[in-house]
Amino acid sequence: MGGLACGIDIGSTNLKVLLLDDDGRTAWAKSVATPKQNDGLGPVTDALHLLEALEHLVIEGWRAVGKGKPLAAIATSGIGEDGVGVDKNLKPLGLALSWFDKRGERDSADVGLLPAALAHPAIRFDFCMTAGKWRWLNRERPDDLKGARHWITITDFPAVRWSGVPYI
């Protein structure tokens, strides 16, 4: 491979970074608390603060074991139900509601009763799903979505910012 592979787990509680050597062995691993703040209703994530913490962690690991080798691959993982609207420059317009946040619970139940949802009974709409959070944000914090060009999950946000290519 000619470089280190970097695996990133963006968890609700901790950020975990793992660097693997050319033989697939763990060269470095570290976990730190996921940066959160409270918006008065519960814990939320500022995507830019999370990105900064993650970049510091990856750089720390590379400096510890990189020995001049490039990062040949980076992959992120996480729950994928929390995210932010971003503008055309991929700048977040608001704070991400955590997947476990229940403030959109009523909205999720309402979405589950729509004819399109009832036509697909295997798809569940509970408090942790994104649809209810979108409805809640649209009603309670419309500026978090107004002008959004894309919706980016917190799991994907680092790679989207690094690549400049929005995806979900």
Side-chain angles (χ1 to χ4, degrees), residues 2 15 17 28-29 37 47 77 83 88 96 102 144 161:
L15 298 176
V17 172
W28 186 87
Q37 60 192 62
S77 68
K88 66 179 181 174
K102 292 190 175 187
D144 286 10
R161 286 291 293 229

Side-chain angles (χ1 to χ4, degrees), residues 16-104:
K16 285 87 59 185
V17 172
L18 173 72
L19 297 177
L20 302 174
D21 65 17
D22 288 331
D23 296 318
R25 290 187 301 249
T26 300
W28 186 87
K30 187 170 182 179
S31 176
V32 299
T34 300
K36 294 276 187 191
Q37 60 192 62
N38 192 306
D39 68 353
L41 297 174
V44 291
T45 302
D46 179 314
L48 293 176
H49 289 159
L50 180 130
L51 179 65
E52 181 180 7
L54 189 56
E55 287 174 343
H56 285 296
L57 195 55
V58 171
I59 290 168
E60 178 185 342
W62 181 81
R63 285 182 175 154
V65 299
K67 300 178 184 158
K69 289 184 177 184
L71 291 178
I74 299 177
T76 60
S77 68
I79 194 73
E81 291 297 337
D82 45 359
V84 290
V86 298
D87 67 14
K88 66 179 181 174
N89 298 314
L90 306 178
K91 180 182 179 223
L93 300 175
L95 302 169
L97 305 179
S98 299
W99 69 268
F100 54 83
D101 188 296
K102 292 190 175 187
R103 65 185 92 177

Side-chain angles (χ1 to χ4, degrees), residues 46-47 51 70 83 87 104 113 118 124 149 158:
D46 179 314
L51 179 65
D87 67 14
L113 296 174
L118 293 171
R124 68 170 214 258
R149 181 73 62 91

Side-chain angles (χ1 to χ4, degrees), residues 137-153:
L137 286 168
N138 190 55
R139 185 182 62 254
E140 301 294 330
R141 294 192 181 157
D143 289 342
D144 286 10
L145 298 176
K146 187 169 50 172
R149 181 73 62 91
H150 306 280
W151 176 264
I152 307 295
T153 69

